[in-house]
Amino acid sequence: MNKIALYCRPGFEKECAAEIADRSTRLGIYGFPRVKDGCGYVIFECYQHDDAERLIRELPFTSLIFARQMLVVGDLLKDLPPEDRVSPIVGMIQGVVERAGELRVEVPDTNEGKELLKFCRKLTVPLRQALRDAGVMLNRESHQRPVVHVFFIASGCCYVGYSYSNNNSPFFMGIPRLKFPAEAPSRSTLKLEEAFHIFIAADEWEERLASGMRAVDLGASPGGWTYQLVQRSMMIEAVDNGPMAQSLMDTGQVTHRKEDGFHFQPTHVTTNYWVVCDMVEKPWRVAMLMADWLINGWCREAIFNLKLPMKKRYEEVSQCLEGIDKRLKEHGISAQIQARQLYHDREEVTVHVRRMWSAIPGRRDERERR
Ligand SMILES: C[S@@+](CC[C@H](N)C(=O)[O-])C[C@H]1O[C@@H](n2cnc3c(N)ncnc32)[C@H](O)[C@@H]1O
């Protein structure tokens, strides 16, 4: 198998392709992406046979921005016979993967894809049994073993492949299923909730999304993101000229600041932990504002949206991330920077930056605090 399949948001295939071409080249792996607008995935064909396997081992999945899932696949299986779709699929993966722990029969996140989901669910049980009988899968589910993916792009037509559970998305179709909380003031609340799930390890929530922490929400109205911080029992300064939902104000945890987010300074400069920002502005301007906050020590972690331009979106995001990295390094600040086009993001990506420590004496940092 010498191809990589990457699932992405429909309409962002070019960005996903530009990213995988760029990232694989940097690893010395060469190939070419096949892109079809609106299909919801990219196939990247490596020139060397073993390079697809190398790519999914060496390229950290969490470092990709536009891919929702990354797996090795073989050639497209076409015209699967309706009387026995299972055997050709088993034949494709047998000898390639052994003792896999999970099977996902998936589709692209498109309207055509969704029409195939019912069929996929029906196929899963007999296919899983056949894969177990063939030794491709363990008899019990395991989240520590490779995942077998069967990716139906049309009726009777699928890619078969695998991903590694330590370097993939743990979610079916690469999409976390979150339920919209009825009492949240806007649907964009799901963006920040998803960002927490994607960027912050579950076992660190108690420490990094802790009760009583101080946070600032820039561009907060009507309060979808503030709602998430309130749910974590934080104390929030919500910055926006627009109104905040009364239900949030009634909690007593929110102070509404009717100010310009580009000039606002946190009231509790030394103890503010989070800044989140959803202001609709030029991406570079937001990126530099967030860099300022981290450099000034006004927050330890930041989550913010970059609204993407119509063209050269991968290049634009890359420039913003490089710009933040450069400025933090100039100030001796070590940081972890991650970005992802979340499922709940539209023409935008979400970025997370965590300040780890600062080399500049006098700056509060992780080592001094211990
Ligand atoms: C996409 S909405 C935010 C939605 C919010 N995150 C939520 O979940 O409900 C963008 C907000 O940014 C605010 N905004 C834009 N520019 C701003 C600025 N310079 N200062 C403060 N707020 C700004 C707008 O008033 C608008 O309410």
Side-chain angles (χ1 to χ4, degrees):
M1 292 187 173
N2 72 331
K3 300 181 189 66
I4 300 284
L6 300 141
Y7 306 167
C8 66
R9 183 180 180 83
F12 285 80
E13 297 79 11
K14 283 197 190 77
E15 287 68 26
C16 189
E19 182 173 36
I20 191 67
D22 178 24
R23 299 298 307 280
S24 61
T25 303
R26 285 197 241 164
L27 286 173
I29 295 174
Y30 302 97
F32 59 95
R34 292 182 196 278
V35 181
K36 197 172 133 212
D37 280 345
C39 70
Y41 63 92
V42 168
I43 301 294
F44 182 75
E45 192 163 339
C46 301
Y47 292 131
Q48 301 285 335
H49 189 262
D50 293 333
D51 275 357
E53 161 75 15
R54 220 188 108 201
L55 204 48
I56 68 156
R57 280 187 186 278
E58 293 182 17
L59 179 62
F61 172 70
T62 51
S63 71
L64 293 174
I65 302 166
F66 289 98
R68 289 178 181 173
Q69 186 58 283
M70 170 173 79
L71 50 138
V72 169
V73 294
D75 292 337
L76 184 64
L77 277 181
K78 289 184 205 157
D79 303 323
L80 286 176
E83 66 282 3
D84 177 18
R85 294 185 176 93
V86 166
S87 302
I89 296 175
V90 175
M92 189 91 185
I93 194 83
Q94 198 167 21
V96 178
V97 175
E98 281 175 7
R99 301 170 65 232
E102 207 187 323
L103 168 67
R104 298 185 201 160
V105 185
E106 301 173 308
V107 296
D109 182 24
T110 58
N111 290 338
E112 301 77 42
K114 280 170 200 148
E115 283 173 18
L116 295 168
L117 267 179
K118 202 168 150 196
F119 155 78
C120 289
R121 272 194 284 272
K122 266 199 207 156
L123 183 68
T124 302
V125 174
L127 179 57
R128 188 189 289 122
Q129 193 51 53
L131 289 168
R132 284 179 173 164
D133 294 344
V136 175
M137 287 188 68
L138 291 172
N139 281 332
R140 56 179 168 79
E141 189 155 297
S142 165
H143 298 296
Q144 270 77 51
R145 298 289 309 162
V147 178
V148 173
H149 298 262
V150 179
F151 182 52
F152 273 90
I153 59 166
S155 175
C157 186
C158 65
Y159 286 100
V160 181
Y162 62 96
S163 65
Y164 289 119
S165 54
N166 61 358
N167 197 28
N168 69 1
S169 162
F171 306 111
F172 180 75
M173 287 169 58
I175 300 173
R177 308 279 149 179
L178 300 178
K179 194 166 172 287
F180 175 65
E183 56 308 347
S186 71
R187 282 204 72 79
S188 52
T189 196
L190 292 174
K191 272 194 271 183
L192 188 58
E193 185 181 354
E194 185 182 350
F196 288 159
H197 284 284
I198 297 293
F199 296 132
I200 302 181
D203 60 356
E204 294 182 11
W205 278 38
E206 285 310 313
E207 184 194 340
R208 292 166 59 195
L209 293 168
S211 162
M213 271 180 170
R214 292 194 186 278
V216 171
D217 183 355
L218 300 174
S221 169
W225 286 29
T226 298
Y227 171 85
Q228 290 296 328
L229 303 167
V230 164
Q231 289 300 105
R232 306 292 311 166
S233 303
M234 294 190 196
M235 301 301 291
I236 304 114
E237 290 186 288
V239 184
D240 202 309
N241 274 322
M244 292 299 290
Q246 192 54 44
S247 54
L248 295 175
M249 301 310 298
D250 291 345
T251 62
Q253 291 166 244
V254 183
T255 310
H256 188 181
R257 308 278 185 211
K258 292 188 181 172
E259 293 179 39
D260 181 349
F262 284 92
H263 294 113
F264 178 80
Q265 294 190 10
T267 309
H268 306 276
V269 174
T270 53
T271 53
N272 188 62
Y273 188 93
W274 275 101
V275 67
V276 298
C277 173
D278 193 20
M279 292 190 290
V280 183
E281 249 298 341
K282 291 204 173 65
W284 179 258
R285 205 171 165 219
V286 171
M288 290 305 103
L289 178 71
M290 294 294 98
D292 288 342
W293 273 67
L294 289 149
I295 289 164
N296 292 341
W298 291 352
C299 63
R300 295 287 302 279
E301 301 201 42
I303 287 181
F304 52 97
N305 246 211
L306 297 179
K307 316 286 173 191
L308 299 177
M310 290 305 287
K311 288 194 180 146
K312 300 212 172 224
R313 298 186 280 202
Y314 174 61
E315 288 82 347
E316 178 80 30
V317 179
S318 302
Q319 276 167 16
C320 288
L321 300 182
E322 280 161 24
I324 295 170
D325 188 48
K326 183 166 173 274
R327 285 203 54 214
L328 295 181
K329 282 195 176 127
E330 281 167 2
H331 287 79
I333 295 170
S334 168
Q336 181 190 32
I337 304 175
Q338 297 172 275
R340 176 70 66 83
Q341 185 174 42
L342 303 173
Y343 175 68
H344 294 94
D345 280 336
R346 290 172 185 270
E347 309 288 308
E348 60 205 342
V349 297
T350 301
V351 184
H352 169 240
V353 186
R354 181 187 187 193
R355 215 185 64 205
M356 305 304 283
W357 56 270
S358 156
I360 295 175
R363 202 178 287 281
R364 291 179 326 113
D365 65 33
E366 202 106 291
R367 290 170 306 167
E368 289 167 43
R369 285 177 163 223
R370 282 195 204 119

